[in-house]
Amino acid sequence: MNLVFLGPPGSGKGTQAIRVAEKLNIVHLSTGDMLREAVKNGTELGKKAEVFMKMGELVPDKLIIGMIEDKVTSGDLSKGFILDGFPRTIPQAESLKQMFGNNNIALDKAVLLAVSDEEIIKRIKGRAEQEGRADDTEGVARNRLDVYRKQTEPIVDFYRKESILTEVRGEDTMDNVFNAIIETLGK
Ligand code: AMP
């Protein structure tokens, strides 16, 4: 099964993607994880990406698309996958469609974890208080939410038009959300 997971930062998307990939025995591919690894290793990509990541801004499409293209062409995705954190812009979604077309890969579903801004802000604040994080972190988190609504949310419509969008309510316990995702995938 070939899936894309969508949802605002703080929606629990990453955690659910890991659990669902494990359950379905498919690859979990997180561009955030790949970028953090690149930063840690001090690669050229990591150095370029770090500046944007620190501010909660998106890393330029060109860098990200190149990174994903390597995965698509290497055959790593042949047993099924969840893309977590990609695509995040319309140009990324369009490039992905083209890459998949060229490599005979079809997306089965785009799963959207829907969580309201109000709930996200509540979670960000709760986390900041719990962890005693700097205000700075809360500011970056809010910026990430803003970036999501402006730059990433348009791809929800992109996949709706492709008739592969499925929406799951993300304002529930981890287990209930997980079960709802599995159900919507017919698994
Ligand atoms: P994540 O762990 O998915 O929240 O990603 C952490 C950060 O990595 C984001 O705030 C972005 O700066 C960057 N990033 C991850 N995936 C992408 C992407 N598809 N396009 C642009 N930037 C990305």
Side-chain angles (χ1 to χ4, degrees):
M1 188 159 236
N2 301 335
L3 306 170
V4 162
F5 270 35
L6 304 169
S11 61
K13 171 178 64 71
T15 312
Q16 296 295 350
I18 292 170
R19 276 184 77 177
V20 173
E22 202 171 291
K23 161 112 180 153
L24 303 183
N25 204 16
I26 56 180
V27 174
H28 168 239
L29 205 71
S30 152
T31 44
D33 285 351
M34 290 163 75
L35 289 170
R36 278 182 288 274
E37 186 69 18
V39 170
K40 203 174 83 193
N41 293 335
T43 65
E44 275 311 306
L45 169 68
K47 282 182 205 152
K48 286 182 190 150
E50 193 175 14
V51 194
F52 299 95
M53 295 169 78
K54 274 194 175 149
M55 296 186 297
E57 296 290 331
L58 295 184
V59 172
D61 286 337
K62 215 173 136 217
L63 294 177
I64 297 284
I65 289 165
M67 194 173 84
I68 285 288
E69 201 159 24
D70 288 346
K71 291 280 171 190
V72 172
T73 50
S74 67
D76 288 5
L77 306 182
S78 60
K79 291 201 177 89
F81 58 83
I82 296 179
L83 288 184
D84 166 14
F86 183 93
R88 251 180 164 101
T89 62
I90 290 283
Q92 289 183 17
E94 277 165 354
S95 297
L96 188 67
K97 189 176 173 181
Q98 202 175 2
M99 274 185 249
F100 280 171
N102 293 341
N103 290 275
N104 277 325
I105 299 174
L107 263 186
D108 294 301
K109 280 203 158 84
V111 179
L112 169 67
L113 281 192
V115 181
S116 69
D117 277 6
E118 208 183 5
E119 173 66 19
I120 297 287
I121 300 283
K122 209 167 85 190
R123 290 183 190 183
I124 292 171
K125 281 194 170 163
R127 216 176 293 168
E129 272 166 29
Q130 233 175 24
E131 297 173 7
R133 290 211 216 161
D135 286 355
D136 204 32
T137 311
E138 191 182 323
V140 170
R142 280 173 184 267
N143 189 38
R144 276 160 51 84
L145 179 57
D146 212 37
V147 166
Y148 173 81
R149 294 294 178 207
K150 287 198 183 111
Q151 298 187 59
T152 304
E153 206 156 42
I155 65 179
V156 170
D157 258 346
F158 179 93
Y159 288 122
R160 192 176 279 129
K161 282 188 193 128
E162 304 233 313
S163 307
I164 56 167
L165 184 78
T166 174
E167 196 169 325
V168 171
R169 208 180 134 257
E171 295 181 25
D172 207 333
T173 63
M174 284 287 185
D175 283 346
N176 286 349
V177 175
F178 174 72
N179 291 331
I181 296 171
I182 295 299
E183 197 180 325
T184 194
L185 296 177
K187 293 284 168 186

